[in-house]
Amino acid sequence: MSATQEDYIKVLFELGGKSRNVSNKSVAERLELSPPTVTEMMNILVTAGYVEYVKYKGASLTDSGTRYAKHIIRKHRLWEVFLVEKLGISIDAVHREAELLEHVTGDDVADKLEVFLDYPKFCPHGGAIDFDEMDRQETELKTLSEVEVGRTVKISRIIDEEKLLMFFKTQKCDIGDILVVEDVDEQIDLITTYNKTKDQRLQLSLSISKYLFVETA
Amino acid sequence: MSATQEDYIKVLFELGGKSRNVSNKSVAERLELSPPTVTEMMNILVTAGYVEYVKYKGASLTDSGTRYAKHIIRKHRLWEVFLVEKLGISIDAVHREAELLEHVTGDDVADKLEVFLDYPKFCPHGGAIDFDEMDRQETELKTLSEVEVGRTVKISRIIDEEKLLMFFKTQKCDIGDILVVEDVDEQIDLITTYNKTKDQRLQLSLSISKYLFVETA
DNA sequence: AACATACTTTAGGTTTGCCAAAATTAATAT
DNA sequence: ATATTAATTTTGGCAAACCTAAAGTATGTT
Ligand SMILES: [Mn+2]
Ligand SMILES: [Mn+2]
Ligand SMILES: [Mn+2]
Ligand SMILES: [Mn+2]
């Protein structure tokens, strides 16, 4: 599989392709490609046995595809841990680097890297490295936007997209922080929370809060 | 520049393209490509400003091309040090991995990696990491095949090609070993040396000895 | 039931990096 | 000077990933 194809598989996984049917449009948006390009690639990935595709309905991952995606994601996250913890590169810069490293890392290197890093459980953005824990995160985590007013939650994971990471860097807000959801205003697209850990108010748009994964604290 | 193009530039450098004109055939052999493919790429690299090309005579690197090659080679060697020293991967396996990693390593990552590794001077095969030391090696090192009978030399560098590394692994023979050249027989393609460091006789074909770089001990 | 709209697919085309076969050139030997 | 040989270049073609424009489909609205 080419690096290109691995990125498609990964996006399918990240968009829930293990269970749902993922639309070509969403894949195209994520990878910044045109929809026809995605259609074409889906057919290739079907032939390769990683994807099931229903015309006009979208793609889902086969077991083989899901396993493959997890392997790449594991490598991605191991590199992120290395880059942050050993090289001291900032948390918002590592994603771009890992996005390339993940495709040129043999299984043996990944395994030895994991040992060297002393079996980290999560990447710097809170993503699980262990396969089972990946599954658990997918079922048990919800986005901050889905939390009812009044609930107290813990920030478990930030989707690592460049812009978001910059936002969370400027706002003082980290993985593990405890938030109380004080108000959700769909009209003005705003969610108001109180960050207990940092002892300060945190307001953010609902659209951004969709990329913040939390679990009941 | 694509990874492909970076590999061409690197091969030109390794084949002496800083000073000599390198033939398309030798590049084609090294990269396991057809000669027409190389001709084609040379024209592209001329346009990009990295190569000067004289039809039917071969390619040489411009200053810009030389600098570029050194940057890639530095990254390659830094990764090799990391893979051997930190992950414990064997010396004959790291080359293949570094061959890919070198193309996806930002300058910042390379710099931080160098700090993390505490400024190593050489890769596991004896290749210099510092630009000036690369130049020194190129001018001062000669191949074992060029040494006169009776001379005592130190193994400074092994060209990292898969097959050779395997050979030097089975023979007990490492960077830094002191060799005395006892006999050179061009007829039967054999060079006989005595490895002072390991206190044992070492015989190898002249063709292989062309890939062993030494300096007067 | 007909329409509008949003998404998907098809069709045709580009670029990069590769190839084999044939033609050309340079260098060497006679 | 001519012939042979080896390397190089030209030519024509292919596959992977991308694109735009146009045609087709599904779905919800009136
Ligand atoms: Mn990637
Ligand atoms: Mn991450
Ligand atoms: Mn390479
Ligand atoms: Mn090396």
Side-chain angles (χ1 to χ4, degrees), chain A residues 7 10 99 102-103:
Chain A
D7 278 335
K10 247 185 42 177
E99 198 56 54
E102 63 188 359
H103 307 292

Side-chain angles (χ1 to χ4, degrees), chain A residues 105-134:
Chain A
T105 309
D107 291 343
D108 184 47
V109 172
D111 292 346
K112 299 237 163 88
L113 185 59
E114 187 170 31
V115 173
F116 177 65
L117 297 172
D118 202 18
Y119 301 96
K121 292 192 72 72
F122 303 99
C123 84
H125 318 100
I129 287 168
D130 180 81
F131 285 7
D132 292 334
E133 180 67 13
M134 281 186 205

Side-chain angles (χ1 to χ4, degrees), chain B residues 3-4 6-8 10 31 72 76 95-103:
Chain B
T4 302
E6 289 181 347
D7 278 335
Y8 277 90
K10 245 185 46 177
L31 292 174
I72 304 294
H76 180 106
H95 179 70
R96 152 181 280 119
E97 305 290 338
E99 198 56 54
L100 300 176
L101 289 167
E102 64 188 357
H103 307 291

Side-chain angles (χ1 to χ4, degrees), chain A residues 2 4-5 8 32-34 36-37 40-41 56:
Chain A
S2 66
T4 303
Q5 293 181 6
Y8 277 90
E32 300 184 90
L33 298 169
S34 74
T37 302
E40 213 170 33
M41 183 58 80
Y56 294 100

Side-chain angles (χ1 to χ4, degrees), chain A residues 10 30 37-38 41 46 53 56 71 84 94 114 117 124 130 144 147 150 169 174 193 208 211:
Chain A
K10 247 185 42 177
R30 201 56 112 73
T37 302
V38 176
M41 183 58 80
V46 166
Y53 193 70
Y56 294 100
H71 274 96
V84 167
V94 293
E114 187 170 31
L117 297 172
D130 180 81
L144 180 60
V147 176
K169 196 185 188 186
D174 300 303
T193 70
I208 273 193
Y211 296 96

Side-chain angles (χ1 to χ4, degrees), chain A residues 10-216:
Chain A
K10 247 185 42 177
V11 165
L12 285 180
F13 184 86
E14 286 163 3
L15 294 178
K18 218 183 72 179
S19 36
R20 268 185 299 285
N21 269 331
V22 178
S23 74
N24 283 359
K25 199 203 175 198
S26 60
V27 174
E29 264 166 15
R30 201 56 112 73
L31 293 173
E32 300 184 90
L33 298 169
S34 74
T37 302
V38 176
T39 304
E40 213 170 33
M41 183 58 80
M42 287 312 160
N43 291 320
I44 292 168
L45 294 175
V46 166
T47 307
Y50 296 117
V51 161
E52 265 171 58
Y53 193 70
V54 184
K55 264 198 178 184
Y56 294 100
K57 281 200 70 184
S60 61
L61 288 169
T62 62
D63 285 353
S64 160
T66 303
R67 220 176 313 121
Y68 201 132
K70 285 180 178 175
H71 274 96
I72 304 294
I73 290 170
R74 170 171 171 263
K75 287 170 184 174
H76 180 106
R77 292 177 179 169
L78 284 170
W79 278 121
E80 286 183 338
V81 173
F82 170 74
L83 293 171
V84 167
E85 298 201 346
K86 303 294 183 179
L87 300 196
I89 295 173
S90 80
I91 213 167
D92 55 298
V94 293
H95 179 70
R96 151 181 281 119
E97 305 289 339
E99 198 56 54
L100 299 176
L101 289 167
E102 63 188 359
H103 307 292
V104 294
T105 309
D107 291 343
D108 184 47
V109 172
D111 292 346
K112 299 237 163 88
L113 185 59
E114 187 170 31
V115 173
F116 177 65
L117 297 172
D118 202 18
Y119 301 96
K121 292 192 72 72
F122 303 99
C123 84
H125 318 100
I129 287 168
D130 180 81
F131 285 7
D132 292 334
E133 180 67 13
M134 281 186 205
D135 289 335
R136 196 193 68 81
Q137 284 196 332
E138 212 184 345
T139 53
E140 293 186 18
L141 300 188
K142 49 175 78 171
T143 67
L144 180 60
S145 61
E146 294 165 340
V147 176
E148 297 156 48
V149 173
R151 288 298 185 89
T152 301
V153 294
K154 187 180 74 182
I155 302 180
S156 292
R157 186 180 158 219
I158 303 170
I159 292 285
D160 38 350
E161 286 215 356
E162 213 88 26
K163 320 149 206 164
L164 297 169
L165 295 170
M166 292 301 284
F167 173 83
F168 288 109
K169 196 185 188 186
T170 52
Q171 304 294 316
K172 292 251 155 48
C173 177
D174 300 303
I175 303 288
D177 286 3
I178 304 295
L179 300 185
V180 184
V181 178
E182 295 184 332
D183 188 59
V184 176
D185 190 331
E186 309 222 358
Q187 304 302 83
I188 59 167
D189 187 49
L190 192 76
I191 179 167
T192 305
T193 70
Y194 171 70
N195 185 331
K196 264 183 162 174
T197 311
K198 297 295 191 319
D199 187 27
Q200 59 182 24
R201 176 151 283 97
L202 174 71
Q203 289 188 311
L204 63 167
S205 75
L206 266 168
S207 27
I208 273 193
S209 72
K210 283 186 184 126
Y211 296 96
L212 247 195
F213 285 97
V214 300
E215 56 197 314
T216 46

